[in-house]
Amino acid sequence: MNKQTRKLSAFSLAFVFTTLILLCLPKTDVYAAKAKVSNVTQTFSTTETIALSWNAPSEIEHFTVYISEFQNFPEYATRKSLTYDTKDYIGELEPNKTYFVKVLPYDNNITYDFSDVITCCTNPEIVTDLSHTASTTSSVTVAWNAPPSGAEYYNIYYIPCGSYGEKIYAGTTANKRFTVSNLAPDTEYNIYVYSAKKSQHGYEAEGFDSYEPFCATLADAKAFSNFKLSRYAAS
């Protein structure tokens, strides 16, 4: 074997050895790592709809949104929604429900990573049979029934009758009864109750309000006006 033949053989062995090493290395997809969807966020809700948005590299134009009531996304209980934007609206859902959501970027011949899974929720329905049940000189108490699908908790607001400002937050309760305190004597208030639910990722789904008008505080500790408390009950 001459020198030139030995050089070619050595080169061939080195090439084969290098190729084998490269084949054994773990494969990495630079684009997949770069294109993973991030910051999937719930932005809106109704009793039947949720809205989502997320961040993704500009070169990715196709996304499939997966939504399910089950965290493992079983095929039989998972819906898919195709979108060409970094946001999506998903309807035909049920009130007061928690859903699991993940987003998959898609492009021809490239498989990307799923986003992290987030929880989303729909609004509870409106409370029923809201009524004014008691008063003092500085408080009114209201009670109600839960909506048909239930609610996680309730947000209560009030505003003096005839006022056109923003509603004043009174408090939150998981009960179906609440006393609004620190009110002025001999004054009528509109009381508003919102059914609500919160996802594990912090989004609050708050339904439409139910309100009880003309809830009056007492003029003084001795005077109780049945007329003032009941005059609107028959209307």
Side-chain angles (χ1 to χ4, degrees), residues 122-141:
T122 50
N123 296 358
E125 297 154 305
I126 192 170
V127 305
T128 60
D129 301 320
L130 176 63
S131 61
H132 176 202
T133 61
S135 288
T136 70
T137 55
S138 61
S139 71
V140 294
T141 299

Side-chain angles (χ1 to χ4, degrees), residues 29-221:
D29 189 339
V30 174
Y31 295 101
K34 180 181 179 182
K36 185 176 181 180
V37 168
S38 61
N39 296 325
V40 181
T41 305
Q42 182 174 1
T43 58
F44 181 74
S45 61
T46 68
T47 55
E48 299 178 346
T49 305
I50 62 172
L52 304 162
S53 67
W54 56 86
N55 296 332
S58 58
E59 66 267 20
I60 305 301
E61 298 179 350
H62 305 80
F63 304 91
T64 302
V65 179
Y66 292 68
I67 181 168
S68 177
E69 292 182 46
F70 304 95
Q71 194 168 5
N72 61 342
F73 294 90
E75 186 66 29
Y76 70 88
T78 299
R79 289 175 50 190
K80 300 176 184 178
S81 174
L82 178 64
T83 180
Y84 297 91
D85 200 353
T86 53
K87 59 185 178 181
D88 197 18
Y89 295 86
I90 301 173
E92 299 181 356
L93 304 175
E94 297 180 29
N96 193 38
K97 282 275 191 178
T98 294
Y99 292 92
F100 296 93
V101 173
K102 61 183 178 180
V103 180
L104 180 67
Y106 169 79
D107 206 350
N108 293 333
N109 301 319
I110 301 177
T111 301
Y112 298 106
D113 294 332
F114 276 104
S115 70
D116 294 332
V117 176
I118 71 162
T119 58
C120 299
C121 53
T122 50
N123 296 358
E125 297 154 305
I126 192 170
V127 305
T128 60
D129 301 320
L130 176 63
S131 61
H132 176 202
T133 61
S135 288
T136 70
T137 55
S138 61
S139 71
V140 294
T141 299
V142 292
W144 59 89
N145 290 327
S149 61
E152 187 175 311
Y153 57 92
Y154 306 92
N155 294 325
I156 294 85
Y157 295 80
Y158 69 95
I159 192 169
C161 291
S163 173
Y164 297 97
E166 292 187 2
K167 299 182 186 74
I168 302 166
Y169 174 70
T172 295
T173 181
N175 301 317
K176 295 183 285 292
R177 181 183 180 88
F178 189 85
T179 298
V180 181
S181 303
N182 300 317
L183 303 179
D186 196 25
T187 305
E188 292 179 330
Y189 295 88
N190 294 333
I191 309 297
Y192 301 82
V193 178
Y194 293 82
S195 53
K197 182 180 181 66
K198 184 171 285 189
S199 75
Q200 294 177 6
H201 287 78
Y203 176 84
E204 183 177 59
E206 190 177 67
F208 289 112
D209 69 83
S210 177
Y211 88 100
E212 180 70 4
F214 309 113
C215 300
T217 53
L218 303 187
D220 56 59

